[in-house]
Amino acid sequence: QVQLVESGGGLVQAGDSLRLSCACSGRTFSNYAMAWFRQAPGKEREFIAAITWRGGSTAYADSVKGRFTISRDSAKNAVYLQMNSLKPEDTAVYYCAADRASFRIRISTSPENFGSWGQGTQVTVSS
């Protein structure tokens, strides 16, 4: 069974940066695309960023493009989300997710394609 554990959330001020980490165990990490989603109170879960299994391609939501960067380190079985220029509207619980299918060629942004999820880490941005 896949286990994903997020860390790095916290309370920051607008304009600050945070780096979220997600440690993966239980299967061959490098064979699967990974993604970050977030969910704010009263809102649906929202796609933020994804990276292919090889790490050669990434995708971002328009709301975070140019501010957030997703990366992965297969040697450490980890995926990261560097978040810069944070805004109050970035406040949410951030979830790491692993693709259901291995070696997917095209990046998916749909939560239905991600079968394993972490417990989430809270990010709060004050104005």
Side-chain angles (χ1 to χ4, degrees):
Q1 184 162 350
V2 179
Q3 285 192 319
L4 302 174
V5 180
E6 303 97 334
S7 61
L11 172 62
V12 297
Q13 293 188 329
D16 285 351
S17 297
L18 273 177
R19 187 193 194 208
L20 304 184
S21 299
C22 174
C24 179
S25 62
R27 67 177 181 186
T28 307
F29 169 78
S30 58
N31 293 348
Y32 296 86
M34 300 292 294
W36 288 93
F37 291 79
R38 71 185 180 189
Q39 188 165 20
K43 294 189 177 181
E44 304 233 333
R45 191 164 294 191
E46 171 189 23
F47 167 79
I48 294 302
I51 188 166
T52 52
W53 61 278
R54 279 186 172 176
S57 295
T58 57
Y60 297 93
D62 288 343
S63 58
V64 305
K65 202 171 291 184
R67 299 188 297 124
F68 291 12
T69 303
I70 187 172
S71 61
R72 65 188 299 157
D73 185 337
S74 292
K76 295 183 179 179
N77 283 2
V79 62
Y80 307 100
L81 186 68
Q82 177 66 43
M83 306 187 294
N84 298 329
S85 303
L86 282 162
K87 305 175 181 180
E89 51 264 43
D90 293 320
T91 295
V93 178
Y94 284 71
Y95 297 91
C96 171
D99 201 330
R100 293 183 186 275
S102 57
F103 308 116
R104 192 187 299 272
I105 296 174
R106 186 171 294 181
I107 283 183
S108 172
T109 63
S110 171
E112 287 74 26
N113 284 331
F114 293 87
S116 300
W117 296 80
Q119 83 289 347
T121 186
Q122 176 71 46
V123 172
T124 302
V125 184
S126 63
S127 57

